[in-house]
Amino acid sequence: AAAPAAHAAVVLRGGASPAPQAASLGQEHIQSALLQLQRTSEQNAGALVAHLSHRFAGSVASFLAMGRKIAEPVAEADPLAVIITSIVYIILVFLVAKFYLHQREAKYSVPLEAEAKPEDFRHFRSGLLKCHERPDICLWSFCCPSIRWGDNMWTMGFFSSFWLPMVIFFVLASFSSSGFVILLAIMGTVYRQGLRKQFSMVRQGGITLVEDCCLY
């Protein structure tokens, strides 16, 4: 009986119980751990952002360096190589044109007037999205537009020979500057309108000017 009484006296003299003190220490440890975790998260986030920024800057630098490497051969092209390549290309075009004329003479030995009537030309035979109807013309127009255009202008009597309109179109189409492209579109529109008038087509002038220009 004396032992519990003594223990009670000690508790009364010591004041508060040790349980609240332990709880207070636990809260301090939790707050300290949370603060340390927050600091660690901020440091990790900063390191991640710095790493991603470094990787992005490195990727951009590599892309720009690749672009410079690609552009260097064009900027530093050998003039002699350019001249030789151009001559070979021109010779190839003229050889293909000679082959085209040979095939044309063999295929169209009958005069055009004996094959069709004027009424057949009041409209274009093929529409803009009907390339499959004449795959031969589609292929020649896609691969060798100067040859097809020269043939059309010569057949319609706008030029006295096949070679002059073919060379004109070839020269204008060989330059990529906007001035030559606009000149080519204007020339193509003028002669296409001439075709419409020559055959008294139903659709002439007006919106067809815009249509013909966009085609070229």
Side-chain angles (χ1 to χ4, degrees):
H7 177 71
V10 170
V11 172
L12 291 175
R13 288 196 300 269
S17 176
Q21 295 180 358
S24 177
L25 291 176
Q27 292 179 356
E28 291 180 357
H29 284 296
I30 293 174
Q31 291 178 356
S32 177
L34 291 176
L35 182 61
Q36 183 66 26
L37 180 62
Q38 181 180 0
R39 291 176 180 175
T40 304
S41 300
E42 291 177 354
Q43 292 176 356
N44 292 336
L48 179 61
V49 171
H51 176 70
L52 293 178
S53 300
H54 179 72
R55 291 290 300 272
F56 178 75
S59 301
V60 172
S62 300
F63 179 77
L64 294 177
M66 183 184 301
R68 287 193 294 269
K69 290 182 179 179
I70 295 175
E72 282 176 0
V74 178
E76 300 176 0
D78 186 6
L80 181 60
V82 174
I83 294 174
I84 294 176
T85 304
S86 301
I87 292 175
V88 172
Y89 179 68
I90 292 172
I91 293 175
L92 180 62
V93 169
F94 274 85
L95 290 177
V96 174
K98 287 290 293 183
F99 171 78
Y100 177 87
L101 288 178
H102 177 73
Q103 294 296 108
R104 180 184 184 277
E105 292 174 359
K107 184 176 181 179
Y108 299 107
S109 57
V110 180
L112 182 63
E113 292 79 8
E115 292 183 345
K117 299 178 181 180
E119 301 84 48
D120 298 333
F121 296 96
R122 300 297 299 276
H123 302 275
F124 286 107
R125 290 184 177 182
S126 301
L128 298 180
L129 302 178
K130 297 181 179 180
C131 302
H132 61 281
E133 295 181 354
R134 291 297 304 272
D136 54 338
I137 294 180
C138 177
L139 182 62
W140 278 107
S141 301
F142 181 79
C143 298
C144 306
S146 59
I147 295 176
R148 275 300 307 170
W149 194 81
D151 184 19
N152 289 338
M153 297 300 101
W154 177 38
T155 303
M156 295 300 104
F158 293 122
F159 292 87
S160 59
S161 68
F162 161 81
W163 296 103
L164 180 59
M166 193 275 289
V167 171
I168 293 175
F169 193 101
F170 175 77
V171 171
L172 292 179
S174 298
F175 295 93
S176 59
S177 63
S178 58
F180 285 97
V181 173
I182 294 174
L183 184 60
L184 179 62
I186 293 175
M187 182 185 70
T189 302
V190 170
Y191 282 104
R192 191 173 176 86
Q193 287 291 315
L195 288 176
R196 294 178 183 273
K197 293 179 181 179
Q198 183 169 342
F199 291 109
S200 301
M201 290 188 176
V202 176
R203 300 180 67 243
Q204 298 184 32
I207 192 63
T208 62
L209 289 168
V210 180
E211 178 184 322
D212 293 344
C213 183
C214 292
L215 288 178
Y216 283 93

